Amino acid sequence: MNQNIIPNGDDQRSTLWIAYALFGAGILFGGLPAIAGVILAYIKKEEVFGAYQDHYHFLIRTFWGTLLGFVLGGILTIIGIGALIIFAVSIWYIFRVVVGALRLKENATITPTGWFK
């Protein structure tokens, strides 16, 4: 069996889809659904192993990286580069959510410590 493929038909996959959907809704609704998504990820990450756990860790790192980037961008608006940082972090967030969801759709693993996928 290919190590990069997640076994299909697992109930945990539905919960992971909900987490990705909450992160995706965070793009449209100002981040509040993403907070619910990261809470769900923290709760569920201990109940799963392997590839699904990697997806949860990927979402958790996405949340905290985005929050840190937004705080840094907010602080750096004082010297005029904050908006650029916030824009870049927003693109990074969207990219990670989309790539993670696509990897889940393909039943593929993801590297939780990678910056992009």
Side-chain angles (χ1 to χ4, degrees), residues 5-92:
I5 302 296
I6 301 170
N8 209 358
D10 194 355
D11 291 337
Q12 294 297 330
R13 192 166 190 248
S14 298
T15 307
L16 194 49
W17 274 117
I18 292 169
Y20 272 107
L22 288 167
F23 271 74
I27 296 166
L28 301 173
F29 300 108
L32 288 177
I35 293 171
V38 78
I39 291 169
L40 178 64
Y42 270 113
I43 292 169
K44 292 296 184 177
K45 74 176 182 159
E46 299 302 325
E47 296 177 12
V48 296
F49 296 99
Y52 287 137
Q53 195 172 49
D54 288 345
H55 275 277
Y56 284 121
H57 285 288
F58 182 78
L59 287 172
I60 290 167
R61 290 177 62 91
T62 300
F63 177 83
W64 288 112
T66 302
L67 183 63
L68 179 65
F70 278 16
V71 168
L72 182 64
I75 292 168
L76 291 177
T77 56
I78 296 169
I79 61 171
I81 62 169
L84 181 62
I85 291 172
I86 290 171
F87 177 75
V89 170
S90 298
I91 298 299
W92 178 77

